[in-house]
Amino acid sequence: MTQVDARPQAGDTAAPSQGGVRGKGLGGNSVGLVGGAVIGVSTVAPVYCLTATLGPTVGEVGVQMPAIFLAGFLPMLLVAFAYRELNRAVPDCGTSFTWSVKAFGPRVGWMCGWGLLIATVVVLSNLAGVATSFFWLLAGEATSSADVAALDDNKAVHILTTLVFIALATAISYRGMTATKWLQYTLVGLQLAVIVLFAAMAVAKSGEIAGSLDFSWSWMNPFAVDSFAAFTAGLSLSIFIYWGWDACLSINEESTGSARTPGRAAMLAMVVIVASYLLVAIATQMYAGVGDKGTGLGNPDTADNVFATLAEPIMGSGLGILLFVAVLASAAASLQTTFIPVARTVLAMSTYEALPATFAKVHPRFQTPGRATIAAGVATGVFYSVMTVLSENVLVDTIYALGLMICFYYSITAFACVWFFRRDLRRSVRDLLVKGILPGLGALMLTAVFAQTLYDMWDPAYGSGSSVLGVGSVFVIGVGLLLLGLVIMLVTSWRSPAFFRGEVLTKETPALVVED
């Protein structure tokens, strides 16, 4: 079917708004407050994040895991203020890319957009891999066949199944926001209900096995972590598990009340997420403890999939299968919604001539960035296939590397808020706080984590322990992907000079935003 080009055409009479900001042709008024919050929760994928990070986080900080989850929430909350204020001034689906261009210019903005894109592709690949693992685990449970469950260990079968999941998620995202929204209500509701049940049963059974712990308020003290390196490693993982709430902002051009609703949806999503994380972190720690043997959360043999180990002991063989379903639903739901920010960022970058024009096509029927969505699906499939063949530890190492990339583009966005609104900061205490101090603190915190993580990940012991020529594979993955962005930017600047001269999307400070 013919695609609609979102770029201005010869003869267009509609003038672009603030400094070159353009409409994209996306379907407006498709998502409200609750729908946006559900998409935000779904993109974060709380059940998937918990099963993949409970173990590694305990491995870094021990019983201080709940404190680290709270510490990771703080910079995310501060950055959320930056997103909310920037969205109110410039509700553009390019989000971090668009806003950082308008604050700092095209090159910083392009790299910020690249950080978002590559982080999303890495997350998509991990989500697809987890969905595959739990699909075969669930199939084995349903058929009572160890041979069926063992198919996940067959690399060819695993990769093929993962590619099928990626293709299905791409197809659903291609069809638009309405189908996405109603599917997400079901999947998010299911996973939240199951993890509440799981946590309640874990608390009820705490003390039944060796290693169980009594709850202590000291678990909530981040200053009790043994070292700053351990703290930042845990914080990097904690930041990863909150990543994705900004999907609420990526659908701003498709939301009712595009200037305000997405920001409110993001705040609502974050409250649900942090409550879920603290509940499960405390409950599992009480039941399983932090030991490195058996069901202990610190066991390195089960660290990458804690729920697979705890499902039956806590919930029994009957209800335990519900936890497998919840993880599969969480990964599959997030796999589908995570296409939203990457496709819309690619659409925006293409619309503003920062990427090839072909990605600025919007499907005339579904009103979605069709070609950008397909491109994201292809990139995800290729990335996962290559990394799985090259490294057996791809899941753990890419999760650790994600913290670097997430800190990179979130901190740029938060700094962009401070600079973009610099003329507003003396206007009122409210403006100084929510447009300056809070986003600035969030940006500084994430920058500190970025710098410490960059230093720590050079050591091969960081992450899975694998290395490339003596350098930690986490460093190679994280820094290598960011440097790849620099190379692509140089090529793009040669092919699309107008954007990089600041002629398409201009750097500016807008007029003061009038409060309601």
Side-chain angles (χ1 to χ4, degrees):
M1 184 176 287
T2 302
Q3 304 280 311
V4 176
D5 195 334
R7 295 171 303 149
Q9 304 296 313
D12 282 354
T13 57
S17 59
Q18 293 182 2
V21 173
R22 300 169 176 174
K24 319 293 186 307
L26 297 169
N29 298 319
S30 300
V31 183
L33 175 63
V34 175
V38 166
I39 287 173
V41 173
S42 176
T43 305
V44 171
V47 182
Y48 152 70
C49 286
L50 286 166
T51 194
T53 57
L54 284 170
T57 306
V58 165
E60 296 291 347
V61 301
V63 295
Q64 259 49 62
M65 173 177 61
I68 288 296
F69 283 180
L70 273 177
F73 173 70
L74 179 58
M76 292 296 100
L77 178 63
L78 298 178
V79 171
F81 283 106
Y83 272 77
R84 187 185 68 177
E85 296 305 313
L86 286 166
N87 179 73
R88 292 178 64 187
V90 187
D92 187 275
C93 71
T95 60
S96 292
F97 159 74
T98 303
W99 301 330
S100 53
V101 169
K102 297 188 76 60
F104 299 130
R107 285 173 176 78
V108 173
W110 199 97
M111 284 303 299
C112 185
W114 172 257
L116 185 155
L117 293 180
I118 199 62
T120 307
V121 168
V122 173
V123 168
L124 283 168
S125 67
N126 279 300
L127 287 167
V130 170
T132 294
S133 295
F134 271 87
F135 171 78
W136 288 115
L137 184 61
L138 185 59
E141 290 286 330
T143 60
S144 300
S145 171
D147 291 336
V148 172
L151 286 173
D152 187 54
D153 297 325
N154 183 307
K155 187 167 288 189
V157 172
H158 179 89
I159 291 175
L160 181 60
T161 308
T162 300
L163 293 178
V164 170
F165 272 109
I166 292 171
L168 289 173
T170 304
I172 295 172
S173 297
Y174 187 88
R175 293 184 62 85
M177 292 304 304
T178 302
T180 295
K181 180 177 65 174
W182 290 108
L183 176 64
Q184 295 308 318
Y185 279 133
T186 302
L187 296 178
V188 169
L190 170 66
Q191 58 181 297
L192 291 179
V194 171
I195 61 172
V196 168
L197 176 63
F198 169 78
M201 295 182 73
V203 172
K205 292 187 175 183
S206 63
E208 292 186 1
I209 63 171
S212 294
L213 299 172
D214 293 329
F215 172 76
S216 171
W217 284 107
S218 65
W219 296 355
M220 315 302 284
N221 179 15
F223 299 104
V225 178
D226 291 338
S227 68
F228 185 68
F231 177 83
T232 55
L235 192 61
S236 180
L237 286 165
S238 180
I239 287 169
F240 158 70
I241 66 175
Y242 289 105
W243 180 86
W245 55 267
D246 50 316
C248 303
L249 284 301
S250 296
I251 57 173
N252 48 22
E253 295 186 40
E254 298 153 273
S255 301
T256 57
S258 61
R260 294 180 179 275
T261 300
R264 292 169 177 169
M267 293 293 185
L268 177 59
M270 292 185 71
V271 169
V272 173
I273 292 160
V274 71
S276 301
Y277 286 166
L278 287 177
L279 177 66
V280 174
I282 292 170
T284 54
Q285 199 158 282
M286 289 177 65
Y287 174 81
V290 296
D292 58 3
K293 305 293 183 183
T295 57
L297 296 179
N299 187 341
D301 296 329
T302 62
D304 63 343
N305 197 343
V306 168
F307 288 162
T309 303
L310 297 182
E312 186 170 342
I314 291 177
M315 303 183 75
S317 57
L319 289 177
I321 199 169
L322 282 177
L323 192 57
F324 297 156
V325 172
V327 176
L328 178 59
S330 179
S334 183
L335 177 62
Q336 189 258 307
T337 53
T338 302
F339 275 99
I340 292 171
V342 67
R344 280 147 185 81
T345 300
V346 169
L347 171 68
M349 293 179 76
S350 183
T351 299
Y352 298 125
E353 303 176 30
L355 285 177
T358 185
F359 299 122
K361 306 290 184 180
V362 173
H363 196 286
R365 176 184 172 190
F366 302 128
Q367 295 182 298
T368 60
R371 293 188 181 180
T373 302
I374 293 172
V378 171
T380 300
V382 170
F383 179 85
Y384 189 80
S385 300
V386 170
M387 294 300 291
T388 302
V389 170
L390 291 178
S391 172
E392 293 293 333
N393 299 308
V394 60
L395 184 62
V396 172
D397 284 343
T398 52
I399 287 175
Y400 275 92
L402 268 174
L404 188 74
M405 291 177 278
I406 292 167
C407 289
F408 176 77
Y409 87 85
Y410 273 166
S411 60
I412 291 176
T413 306
F415 280 129
C417 178
V418 178
W419 188 249
F420 186 76
F421 291 113
R422 62 192 183 277
R423 296 180 186 172
D424 287 16
L425 300 184
R426 295 183 181 180
R427 175 184 157 193
S428 67
V429 173
R430 188 258 179 203
D431 282 344
L432 177 62
L433 188 65
V434 302
K435 295 179 180 179
I437 293 175
L438 297 181
L441 285 174
L444 290 173
M445 292 173 70
L446 291 176
T447 301
V449 174
F450 178 90
Q452 182 66 40
T453 303
L454 194 65
Y455 174 80
D456 292 339
M457 64 172 47
W458 180 270
D459 188 343
Y462 192 91
S464 69
S466 59
S467 64
V468 178
L469 300 177
V471 179
S473 60
V474 180
F475 184 94
V476 173
I477 291 170
V479 176
L481 290 173
L482 289 176
L483 291 177
L484 176 63
L486 279 175
V487 174
I488 296 175
M489 184 181 73
L490 290 174
V491 174
T492 305
S493 65
W494 174 68
R495 297 177 59 91
S496 304
F499 168 78
F500 289 94
R501 289 196 298 260
E503 297 171 0
V504 180
L505 185 62
T506 63
K507 180 179 173 183
E508 65 167 330
T509 300
L512 296 178
V513 178
V514 179
E515 304 292 339
D516 286 347

